[in-house]
Amino acid sequence: MPKVVNESSGLTYRAARGTFLTHNDGGGQPTLYEVDRYGKLLDSIVVTGATNIDWEDLTQQDSTVLFVGDFGNNQNKRRDLTIYRIALKPTLRVRPMPFRFADQKAFPPPRSQRNFDMEAMVWFQDSLHLFSKNWSLRKRYVHQYKLPDRPGSAGAGSNALEPQDSIYSRAMVTGAALSPDARTLALLTYGKILLFSVQGNQLNLRHPKHCIRLPKGQTEAITFVSETDIVVTNERGKLYLISKK
């Protein structure tokens, strides 16, 4: 990856162009970087009107609408969680979508309840799905939350997110991706990719089907390039192609 992408934290594939969009982790510039499969920098898109407090993941609705999650929350004490809806065409337009977790009562909560850090998000059927990175030492569950993909589309109070599903996992989730045919959900962790089947147009964690083990490394971002090929990046600036049989 180019030196300007020194801490890749989100990734999505632009199929029509055969390229990837990525961004840096918290404290980086509010910029999207387009790279090819060899990591060569092709373009930089400054997201005017956005701030990178702790950008953690990137997903796309289609070739013209993207979402960036400014919801990194290691200490579980942030009250300014936001997802930026970015329309690329005909001109760049950015709309913030602030939200909160309805089940979070303390900022921060006790250490045994710190499950409000997010690093993973996918778009599916007019909604965004978020998956928690669990910092607690005992209740090791990944929680799934859901919100509409347009600001205010669900009316007043729609920014208070209720948990939709959960699954026990000792691994911390650092990224998420949906296959092009929308039949497989991938959750990236440190050292593994957890694959779930999407059944009946319902995106949830009830149908685990496979686990792919990765070499050790702080892998932070993931995207599908086909139904069988997955690309991940780590915070050391490397890209990896994984082909599942």
Side-chain angles (χ1 to χ4, degrees), residues 80 156 181 219 242:
D80 57 351
D181 62 4
T219 46
I242 297 101

Side-chain angles (χ1 to χ4, degrees), residues 5-200:
V5 187
N6 59 357
E7 202 172 7
S8 174
S9 187
L11 188 70
T12 193
Y13 181 58
R14 309 185 81 181
R17 298 168 62 91
T19 61
F20 301 90
L21 284 177
T22 187
H23 59 74
N24 283 323
D25 205 339
Q29 296 297 316
T31 302
L32 302 175
Y33 302 99
E34 184 175 15
V35 300
D36 65 16
R37 63 180 300 170
Y38 302 104
K40 180 182 178 181
L41 182 65
L42 303 175
D43 195 11
S44 299
I45 305 170
V46 177
V47 185
T48 304
T51 302
N52 184 351
I53 297 176
D54 198 349
W55 286 13
E56 287 293 354
D57 208 2
L58 171 66
T59 189
Q60 62 180 340
Q61 173 182 324
D62 52 38
S63 62
T64 64
V65 178
L66 309 170
F67 299 89
V68 174
D70 191 348
F71 42 46
N73 190 17
N74 288 350
Q75 302 301 316
N76 282 224
K77 62 183 180 180
R78 284 185 64 181
R79 296 176 183 264
D80 57 351
L81 304 174
T82 300
I83 295 172
Y84 291 106
R85 184 182 190 275
I86 305 169
L88 298 175
K89 296 178 180 181
T91 58
L92 184 71
R93 185 182 181 188
V94 180
R95 298 182 66 184
M97 301 167 56
F99 69 93
R100 62 185 178 87
F101 299 111
D103 53 333
Q104 182 171 7
K105 309 302 181 184
F107 299 83
R111 289 188 178 274
S112 61
Q113 301 175 23
R114 294 190 180 179
N115 201 4
F116 301 100
D117 181 23
M118 296 288 148
E119 295 193 9
M121 172 178 64
V122 297
W123 180 91
F124 179 72
Q125 293 190 351
D126 301 326
S127 295
L128 295 165
H129 297 258
L130 282 59
F131 303 91
S132 66
K133 179 181 183 180
N134 196 340
W135 288 95
S136 65
L137 298 179
R138 296 180 181 177
K139 298 179 180 180
R140 304 306 300 268
Y141 281 86
V142 176
H143 290 314
Q144 177 184 358
Y145 296 84
K146 177 182 175 182
L147 75 159
D149 64 4
R150 289 183 178 272
S153 60
S158 62
N159 68 333
L161 309 188
E162 298 280 358
Q164 303 292 309
D165 202 0
S166 64
I167 191 170
Y168 179 83
S169 174
R170 298 183 65 180
M172 292 182 173
V173 174
T174 61
L178 196 63
S179 62
D181 62 4
R183 297 179 62 182
T184 302
L185 168 69
L187 297 185
L188 179 67
T189 73
Y190 296 139
K192 298 177 183 178
I193 300 174
L194 309 178
L195 299 177
F196 299 82
S197 177
V198 179
Q199 300 183 11

